[in-house]
Amino acid sequence: PSPATSCAHYVDHGRSSGRHASSVRCSPCCVFCHPRSGTDLPPAEEGSRDDVPVACFDFDGTITRIDSLPLFALWLSPVRSFRALVRLVTAAVRGRLRSRDAAKRLFVDVVFAGMSSERVRHRAESFARFIFPLIRRRRLVDRLTAHLADGDRVIIVSASLECWVAPCAEKLGISEVVSTRAEVHMDGRFTGRLSMPNCRGQEKVTRLDEYLGRRPSVLHAYGNSTGDDELLGIATHPHRISRRPVSRANTVVQPPG
């Protein structure tokens, strides 16, 4: 299907009413519009992959050492990033930022609104090529690679936007990403809005359940923050990532506690 008329018009891909929206579609990284991206593939039929262990990795602070949102925004547009920072500080001083999600919506609006999806795609690909290798945690990447070598199904579950998480995931050999999506207008420009709730906390569990269809008997989960607590809570093998620098003598993960 073409990007203009495909099922991408279901802005939330299965969570909407099922009627086509006339003016918006999902991000250019979505597999329904751009199958070559390989992200968020339709879940396998029941019973076909139930016996395969699943390993879910948070992205920011788990696979990476730092939050990728401000870094990608700076890579995308230094001017817009500075404007977003000013808006955030101003809103905070005036008491208008009630939550982390509100701050993220404001930041995304200032940085992405009106931005060409093609420009974002090109910058995301270069970010994955040049910047991502500098901020990823080698030991966690080794753990992820070990899961792949064991034949496990590896999924990145992130609150960051799919438009840059997916290209980074591809560099690790991961084709499955469950993350926050940005809304793109029919003219190919970002609207500055999210097309779904921020994929953090309980929303991670909700999105993962919808994606998998049913929970596997063996579920590994790796996360570093309170935004990963619910995901770690449903895992048969939860791994809380230590915030301390990891040396060769230290273990990479700690049980949640």
Side-chain angles (χ1 to χ4, degrees):
S2 69
T5 60
S6 73
C7 56
H9 286 177
Y10 294 92
V11 176
D12 206 358
H13 292 315
R15 295 179 62 189
S16 65
S17 64
R19 291 179 295 180
H20 289 284
S22 60
S23 62
V24 296
R25 58 184 173 88
C26 66
S27 80
C29 293
C30 175
V31 68
F32 294 96
C33 283
H34 305 270
R36 62 185 293 273
S37 70
T39 62
D40 250 11
L41 297 173
E45 293 182 2
E46 264 187 36
S48 62
R49 301 182 71 176
D50 292 345
D51 58 336
V52 178
V54 174
C56 295
F57 285 78
D58 170 52
F59 190 70
D60 295 309
T62 300
I63 292 177
T64 69
R65 295 191 299 271
I66 60 176
D67 188 354
S68 64
L69 171 57
L71 191 58
F72 177 73
L74 188 63
W75 182 256
L76 180 65
S77 173
V79 172
R80 287 183 178 226
S81 297
F82 178 75
R83 290 174 181 169
L85 179 61
V86 172
R87 288 279 300 276
L88 283 174
V89 172
T90 301
V93 169
R94 296 177 177 176
R96 294 178 179 175
L97 292 183
R98 304 289 177 140
S99 66
R100 180 193 295 262
D101 288 354
K104 184 171 187 173
R105 287 194 297 269
L106 175 60
F107 193 87
V108 169
D109 181 35
V110 177
V111 173
F112 286 88
M115 184 76 71
S116 164
S117 59
E118 278 299 301
R119 172 176 171 77
V120 173
R121 182 176 65 83
H122 286 305
R123 294 302 287 171
E125 289 175 352
S126 63
F127 179 86
R129 181 180 179 184
F130 297 111
I131 304 301
F132 178 54
L134 303 178
I135 62 173
R136 64 190 187 187
R137 293 190 181 198
R138 181 178 60 83
R139 300 295 293 272
L140 263 297
V141 171
D142 289 346
R143 182 63 65 90
L144 183 152
T145 303
H147 278 289
L148 290 174
D150 288 341
D152 297 346
R153 185 179 180 184
V154 179
I155 305 172
I156 292 180
V157 185
S158 175
S160 282
L161 298 190
E162 186 182 75
C163 58
W164 75 81
V165 174
C168 291
E170 287 185 3
K171 295 298 181 183
L172 301 176
I174 306 301
S175 62
E176 296 184 272
V177 174
V178 175
S179 63
T180 306
R181 296 194 188 106
E183 188 181 82
V184 178
H185 195 270
M186 288 297 295
D187 63 3
R189 295 185 178 277
F190 282 84
T191 65
R193 297 186 295 269
L194 302 180
S195 65
M196 57 180 56
N198 190 25
C199 189
R200 182 178 186 276
Q202 182 58 39
E203 185 66 14
K204 284 193 173 185
V205 176
T206 300
R207 292 281 309 283
L208 182 65
D209 283 345
E210 291 177 350
Y211 180 71
L212 292 175
R214 63 189 303 177
R215 291 181 189 171
S217 57
V218 177
L219 176 61
H220 294 266
Y222 295 80
N224 74 299
S225 71
T226 56
D228 302 311
D229 287 348
E230 289 82 356
L231 180 62
L232 293 171
I234 67 169
T236 59
H237 297 78
H239 306 275
R240 173 80 69 181
I241 307 305
S242 172
R243 295 184 178 181
R244 296 181 305 225
V246 177
S247 68
R248 292 186 178 181
N250 292 335
T251 57
V252 177
V253 295
Q254 297 177 344

